DNA sequence: CATCATTTGTTGAACATTCATTCAAAATGG
DNA sequence: CCATTTTGAATGAATGTTCAACAAATGATG
C-alpha cells in the first residue's frame, strides 16, 4: 500500500545501486529506468542474502523481503531463481572488471606501478568488503557443478591472467629475475584470491590492511629491484 | 562441542576402514559392515555428492543412493543432514591434519626442508584431487553463515599458521631476509589456498604440478638463500 | 547344538515442511 | 483506457525426517 521508498539496506548498497543506475541509464526514460533500478535493487538484495544466509539458504522470499517487495516480483523481473543468481554473479563480475580496468588505466605507463595498482585494487573498500566477498565465495562453492558460474568466475580470471603474465615478463626483463613469468603470475593471482578467502572467513585478525601488506611483501620478494623493502629507519612495531 | 563419532584411530587402521568403505558390494543387502565402516561409507558418498552436485544440491537421497543403501539409513547413523555434513567436514579436516603432521615429521630437523615438505604436502595426490577440493570449496562457500563450518575450517588454518610463522622467522634469521615473518606466513598460506581454489575450478590448464611449481617459485623468491633458483641447465617446460 | 529372545541394523513408505513458480486480480501511470 | 507493474494466495514439486515393520546378528537357555 505505501509506496514510500523503502529504506535501503546499507549505505553501501544504496551507493552501488544509484551509481549503477546512473551508469546504465544516462537519460532516464521513466518506465525503463524504473525497471532497471528495480532489477538492481533485487540484485543487491540477493547479494545481501548470499552474504547473510549463504547460497543454499538464499530463497526468493528472502530476496523479495530484503528488497521490501512482494514474493512474486522476482519471477517477473527475472524469469527464475537461477537467472537471478546468474545476473547477480554477472553484475559482480562486471563491477570487478570495471574497477580493475580503472585501476590499470589510472596507474599510468610504468609496469611496476601498474602491477602494484592492480594488487592494491583488489583490496579496495568498494570491492573488498565482507558482503561482496561472502557472495563471491558462495558462488565459488557452487561453481564446480555449475558450468554457468564456472564460466563467469573463469572469465574473471582468464582475462586478467594474461596482463599479469605480461607485467611479470616485463619486470623480469628490466630486473633480471630468474622466475618464469607464467608461473609467477599464477602464484601472485592465487595469493590474491587466497587472501580474499581469508578475509571472508574472518576468523583470524586478518584485515584489509594486513592482507594488502602481505601482498606487498610478496611483490618485494619477487621483484626486489622494483619494490625495495622499507629501510630499517621506519617503524616496525610487531 | 558437537563431538560426533570421530574415532581417533591410527592412520593405518583408518586407511583399512576406508578401503572397506570404498568397496562397492554388488552382493545382496544385509548388514555385513560394522558401524564405523558404514559411517565412513556414507561420508565418502557425501564427499562424492558434494563434488558432483555441489552443496546446495546435495540431498540425503543422493548420499544414500551413492552408498547403495536405503533412504532412511543416514538418519540412523547420523542424526540429521546437518550432522552428516559436519562429520564429513571433520573427517576431511582430520585427514588433512594427519597428512600435514606426517609430512612435517618426515621432513627431519632442517627448517628449510620442513617448509618445503609442508608446501609439497598440500599438493599430494591423496589430499589434492578434484573430488576433495570440490568438497572443501563447497564448505568454504557455506562457512560464512555457519559457525560450525567456520570453526572447523578455521581450526585447519590457525593451528598451522603458527608453524609457518615460526619457520619463516627461523629462515629469516639464517638467511638475513627483510620480511616480517607473520606477514610472509600469511602470504604463503593464502597462496596455497588460492592455488587449491584454482585447481578446483579447473578452467585453465593448471595442474597439480603447475601449482606446486608456482608454490616453489614463491619459496625461491621469498627465501632465495634456502631455495636457490634452478640453473639454466634444468628443464623448464612451459 | 537347537531354539528362542533381544538387540541392532535396515528398509521404504508416509508425513510435514519448505520453497520456486504461477496467475488472476489489483494497482499504477501515462 | 490501455499497458505495465505489483501483489499475494494457490499450487505442486522436492526433500528431510519419522516410524512401523522387517532382517540379521548376538546371546541366553536348555
Amino acid at each position: 500500500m505505501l509506496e514510500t521508498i523503502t529504506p535501503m539496506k546499507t549505505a553501501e548498497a544504496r551507493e552501488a545501486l544509484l551509481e549503477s543506475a546512473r551508469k546504465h541509464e544516462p537519460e532516464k526514460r521513466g518506465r525503463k529506468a524504473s525497471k532497471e533500478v528495480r532489477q538492481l535493487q533485487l540484485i543487491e538484495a540477493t547479494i545481501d542474502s548470499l552474504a547473510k544466509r549463504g547460497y543454499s539458504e538464499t530463497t526468493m522470499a528472502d530476496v523479495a523481503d530484503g528488497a521490501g517487495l512482494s514474493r512474486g516480483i522476482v519471477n517477473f523481473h527475472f524469469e527464475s531463481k537461477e537467472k537471478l543468481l546468474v545476473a547477480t554473479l554477472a553484475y559482480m563480475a562486471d563491477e570487478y572488471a570495471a574497477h580493475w580496468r580503472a585501476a590499470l588505466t589510472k596507474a599510468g605507463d610504468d609496469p611496476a606501478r601498474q602491477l602494484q595498482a592492480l594488487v592494491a585494487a583488489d583490496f579496495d573498500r568498494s570491492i573488498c568488503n565482507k558482503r561482496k566477498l561472502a557472495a563471491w565465495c558462495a558462488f565459488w562453492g557452487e561453481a564446480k557443478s555449475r558450468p554457468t558460474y564456472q564460466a563467469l568466475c573463469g572469465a574473471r580470471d582468464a582475462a586478467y591472467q594474461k596482463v599479469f603474465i605480461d607485467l611479470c615478463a616485463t619486470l623480469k626483463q628490466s630486473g633480471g629475475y630468474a622466475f618464469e613469468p607464467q608461473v609467477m603470475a599464477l602464484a601472485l593471482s592465487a595469493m590474491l584470491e587466497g587472501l580474499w578467502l581469508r578475509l571472508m572467513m574472518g576468523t583470524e585478525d586478518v584485515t584489509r590492511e594486513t592482507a594488502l601488506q602481505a601482498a606487498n611483501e610478496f611483490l618485494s620478494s619477487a621483484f626486489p629491484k622494483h619494490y625495495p623493502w622499507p629501510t630499517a629507519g621506519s617503524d616496525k612495531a610487531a
Side-chain angles (χ1 to χ4, degrees), chain A residues 6-10 13 17 41-49 52-53 59-71 73-74:
Chain A
T6 54
M8 297 292 171
K9 300 148 292 298
T10 61
L17 194 156
Q41 187 182 359
L42 289 170
I43 285 177
E44 291 290 338
T46 304
I47 297 177
D48 283 339
S49 185
K52 192 179 63 181
R53 312 178 38 150
T59 66
M60 300 285 265
D62 192 53
V63 170
D65 289 352
L69 299 171
S70 71
R71 298 293 157 91
I73 195 64
V74 186

Side-chain angles (χ1 to χ4, degrees), chain A residues 4 35 40 114 152 156 165 170 221:
Chain A
T4 34
K35 184 162 189 163
L40 285 177
Q114 286 180 340
L152 279 168
R156 187 198 155 228
I165 293 173
T170 304
S221 287

Side-chain angles (χ1 to χ4, degrees), chain A residues 103-213:
Chain A
L104 183 58
T105 302
K106 197 175 169 186
D109 288 336
D110 179 39
R113 289 197 82 84
Q114 286 180 340
L115 186 57
Q116 196 171 29
L118 290 179
V119 167
D122 251 27
F123 302 101
D124 192 280
R125 240 187 181 260
S126 63
I127 294 289
C128 177
N129 52 72
K130 290 220 169 185
R131 183 171 158 270
K132 294 257 175 69
L133 292 187
W136 273 114
C137 198
F139 282 114
W140 290 345
E142 294 291 317
K144 181 72 200 319
S145 46
R146 312 230 179 190
T148 311
Y149 296 172
Q150 206 166 352
L152 279 168
C153 293
R156 187 198 155 228
D157 301 328
Y160 314 141
Q161 197 69 7
K162 179 170 164 36
V163 176
F164 273 138
I165 293 173
D166 290 345
L167 286 175
C168 285
T170 304
L171 295 185
K172 176 186 178 180
Q173 277 274 342
S174 66
Y177 306 125
F179 57 72
E180 205 70 41
Q182 280 195 11
V183 181
M184 183 57 73
L186 174 61
L188 175 58
S189 56
M191 187 201 56
L192 294 178
E193 273 181 19
L195 286 171
W196 267 24
L197 206 59
R198 283 289 226 278
L199 283 169
M200 198 259 344
M201 290 284 189
T203 56
E204 312 150 76
D205 52 345
V206 182
T207 64
R208 267 189 16 256
E209 290 76 20
T210 318
L212 181 55
Q213 196 184 350

Side-chain angles (χ1 to χ4, degrees), chain A residues 14-34:
Chain A
R14 171 192 208 135
E15 203 174 286
L17 194 156
L18 294 177
E19 188 171 355
S20 295
R22 264 185 258 123
K23 179 168 49 187
H24 284 89
E25 198 64 26
E27 47 172 313
K28 294 187 177 182
R29 284 202 151 197
R31 197 164 58 231
K32 187 181 178 187
S34 166

